Amino acid sequence: MAIVSQQVYLGEDVNSIIFDVTLSSALSFIPWDSNVRSAVVLLDGNDIWDSNDFPPSGQGEYFDQQVDINGIGAGVHTLSLAVRTNKNDSPDIDYYADWDFVKFDTYCGGLGYLPEDFDQDCYVDMNDFRQLIDRWLVEGPGERYDLLPDGIIDFHDFAFFAEVWQDNTDWQNWGNDNCYEVELLLGDIDYSGEVDYGDILELADSWLDAGGCNKADLNFDGIVDFKDFAVLTRDWQKRSWLYWVQ
Ligand SMILES: [Ca+2]
Ligand SMILES: [Ca+2]
Ligand SMILES: [Ca+2]
Ligand SMILES: [Ca+2]
């Protein structure tokens, strides 16, 4: 099986995975043969979609495939896209599975929330402005409206807010100038939304583990060690949008 995997955070409201895929071969007279290979989508290592179960069942285009994942449970999961081939079939030509897109129906289609999008509807607009004004001159640490975190909601925070006025993270606007993908924090290994002691525990659990794809290998050098601890401390106590989703 040729496979690419990615860890994804699925919220409780995610109920389907949607994608298009086209199966083809490098040589038109030796097409994709469904008897020896199929394209597969896996979640946590289990098949959830197989091209042989749907038309055209073989070479061709599969539009608007929708996989029901109700009941999968909120949390971190591994999503994999794969091509599975009978090992006795040793092709000397290339076969392709072109995944057009994979969309998760949560957090603005996967782009996350801007910090200023207080009501989490993917847009920074009047509703968020009203929420900010409601907290005007409120003091106290840990306020999400304290965009310049100095313990008070005032003009400094408004300046941050004004910077992203009418920006959005709606995946349907992907590629537009005012549409953004909001990254998660690298050091937030346990996806709590904050780089904190939970992440140190995760890192300690993987200490000196070697090999690729370890989520505690924060500098991607193939081993979990002090260099990763340094990356974690760099982001210490920073929060991402995920913190406010909980
Ligand atoms: Ca909003
Ligand atoms: Ca402030
Ligand atoms: Ca964390
Ligand atoms: Ca490392």
Side-chain angles (χ1 to χ4, degrees):
M1 187 150 66
I3 190 165
V4 289
S5 298
Q6 180 163 9
Q7 285 191 322
V8 292
Y9 183 88
L10 301 180
E12 280 180 32
D13 56 341
V14 180
N15 51 33
S16 62
I17 297 177
I18 300 165
F19 57 90
D20 297 340
V21 62
T22 301
L23 308 183
S24 60
S25 115
L27 293 174
S28 57
F29 54 89
I30 310 178
W32 179 292
D33 180 355
S34 62
N35 290 314
V36 291
R37 68 180 50 79
S38 64
V40 190
V41 179
L42 305 98
L43 197 58
D44 299 327
N46 303 311
D47 288 18
I48 58 170
W49 184 90
D50 187 311
S51 60
N52 282 357
D53 297 337
F54 302 93
S57 180
Q59 183 153 322
E61 295 167 336
Y62 300 71
F63 286 123
D64 281 338
Q65 301 300 302
Q66 184 160 355
V67 183
D68 183 359
I69 57 165
N70 262 326
I72 188 71
V76 178
H77 295 275
T78 301
L79 175 78
S80 309
L81 308 178
V83 173
R84 181 184 282 141
T85 301
N86 186 328
K87 66 177 179 171
N88 295 319
D89 182 72
S90 48
D92 47 12
I93 65 166
D94 294 333
Y95 289 92
Y96 305 114
D98 295 314
W99 308 87
D100 188 8
F101 67 94
V102 178
K103 178 169 93 67
F104 294 93
D105 281 341
T106 189
Y107 307 141
C108 314
L111 299 194
Y113 300 113
L114 288 161
E116 297 82 359
D117 180 13
F118 304 123
D119 66 352
Q120 298 181 335
D121 68 346
C122 314
Y123 288 82
V124 178
D125 57 18
M126 208 55 186
N127 295 327
D128 307 299
F129 181 63
R130 283 197 196 96
Q131 288 199 23
L132 181 64
I133 292 304
D134 277 350
R135 305 296 291 169
W136 197 248
L137 295 182
V138 167
E139 292 184 47
E143 279 271 342
R144 68 173 305 186
Y145 304 91
D146 195 5
L147 300 167
L148 176 82
D150 58 357
I152 184 165
I153 319 297
D154 61 11
F155 285 103
H156 296 296
D157 308 299
F158 176 75
F160 274 84
F161 184 83
E163 277 287 304
V164 295
W165 177 247
Q166 296 198 324
D167 286 345
N168 72 87
T169 57
D170 186 339
W171 70 275
Q172 296 179 93
N173 303 326
W174 179 246
N176 292 355
D177 283 348
N178 62 341
C179 177
Y180 297 93
E181 178 171 6
V182 188
E183 302 273 334
L184 293 171
L185 290 163
L186 194 56
D188 183 20
I189 304 168
D190 65 358
Y191 302 105
S192 67
E194 185 175 27
V195 179
D196 53 12
Y197 289 104
D199 306 303
I200 289 187
L201 291 177
E202 292 265 345
L203 195 117
D205 270 351
S206 306
W207 194 250
L208 294 183
D209 282 359
C213 296
N214 189 324
K215 62 181 180 168
D217 181 15
L218 303 177
N219 71 342
F220 310 106
D221 68 350
I223 187 159
V224 179
D225 60 12
F226 282 108
K227 289 179 183 165
D228 306 300
F229 186 71
V231 174
L232 193 152
T233 53
R234 187 194 63 202
D235 287 341
W236 186 245
Q237 292 198 319
K238 281 188 187 164
R239 288 171 177 174
S240 69
W241 56 269
L242 196 55
Y243 182 85
W244 305 106
V245 169
Q246 313 294 333

